[in-house]
Amino acid sequence: MTTMEADAPDLAVPVPRKDPTRTRLQRASRLRDTALAWCFLAPTVVVFALFVFWPLGRSFYLSVHGNDIFGAPTEYVGLQHFEDMFTSESFAKVLITTALFTVFTVLPGVLGALLIVLLLEANIRAVRFFRTAFALPFAFSVATASVIFAVIYNPAIGIANGLLGALGFDRVNWLTDPDIALYSVCATTVWMNLGYNILVLSAGVGAIPGEVIEAARLDGATGVRLARSIMIPLLSPQLFFLVVVSTINSLQSFGQIHILTKGEPDGATTTLVYSIYKEAFAFGSSDFGAASAQAIVLLVIVLACTALQFGVLERKVHYR
C-alpha cells in the first residue's frame, strides 16, 4: 500500500441507523389510518354483504339443490335445474320475450328522448312548458304509471279504443291479445322512461359550449346537419349511459308487467324476471331451485350485455 493510499480519507457513506421510536410511530400511524378507513367502509361492506353477496351466494346454493314444498333446500341435484331449463320450450319463449321487450323499450326510449331534446333546442315558443311536460313521466312511480295505462288500455272505456273508434277502426284488446299485449307493455315502459332520458340528455345539451354551436352555425351547419355532426357526437356520453342503464332496467322490469298483464295472455308478456317470480312465489309455487337457476341466467345476461356495450359502443363515445 502506498503512502497516498494510506493517507486517503475513508469515503464510505455511513448507513444511518433507524430510529426505533420513529419506526414505531409510523407503524402506529399506518394502523390508525387503516382502522379509520375500515370504519368508513364498514357500513357499505355490511350492506353489500347482507343484500348482495349473501343473496348471490344463496342463489348459487339453491340452484344446485332440490327443495321441498316449502322451498327449503333438500338434496344436491347438480346442474339438473339448468338442464331442465335449457331443454324447455317455455324457457326459450321466455328468453325471446325478454329480448323483444328489451329491444322495444331501450331503442324507442333513448332515440325518442334524443329526438325530443333536439326538437326542443329549436327556437319554438313555450319551450319551458314542453320541457316540463315531456319530463313529467319521471315523476310517476311504476305502479302509478301502470294503473294509468291500464285505464287507457281498457277495451270498454279506455282512451286508446275511444280514439280508434273516432277514426273508424275496430276496438283492440291491448292487454289480452297475445299478438299485441307485449307491445302495449313496451309502450307503457317507454313512456315511463322517457322523462328520465329527456332530463339526462337535456343536461348534456346544456353542457355543450355555446361557442361550439355558434361556430358550427357560422360554418353553415343547421338543422339535421348540426344535429348529426355536432350535437349527437357531443351527446354520445349521455347516450351511452342511457343505453347501458336502460338495458339493465328493461331486463329487470317487473312492476308494469305484474300490474298490466301478470305475464299473460298465454305467457306472451312473461319476461325472465317475471318467470323467476312465477317459479318462486306466484300461485303458491315455491320452486326456489328453478327460480335461482333462472336468476343466475339473468345475472349472466346482464353482465354479458353490459360487457358487450362497453366493448363495442364505448369506442364510439366522444369524451370532450
Side-chain angles (χ1 to χ4, degrees), residues 179 222 228 245 307:
D179 297 327
T222 58
R228 185 183 68 242
V245 172

Side-chain angles (χ1 to χ4, degrees), residues 4 19 30 57 61 80 94 134 137 145-147 151 154 157 162-163 166 208 210 223 254 277 284 288 313:
M4 294 182 62
D19 186 355
R30 286 196 297 268
Y61 177 80
Q80 185 63 45
V94 166
F134 284 120
S146 300
V147 171
V151 176
N154 188 287
I157 61 172
L163 292 176
I208 298 176
F254 173 81
Y277 165 76
F288 292 162
L313 297 181

Side-chain angles (χ1 to χ4, degrees), residues 16-30:
R17 293 169 52 185
K18 293 183 178 180
D19 186 355
T21 303
R22 182 178 180 182
T23 302
R24 195 162 50 249
L25 291 175
Q26 289 176 343
R27 187 181 298 113
S29 178
R30 286 196 297 268

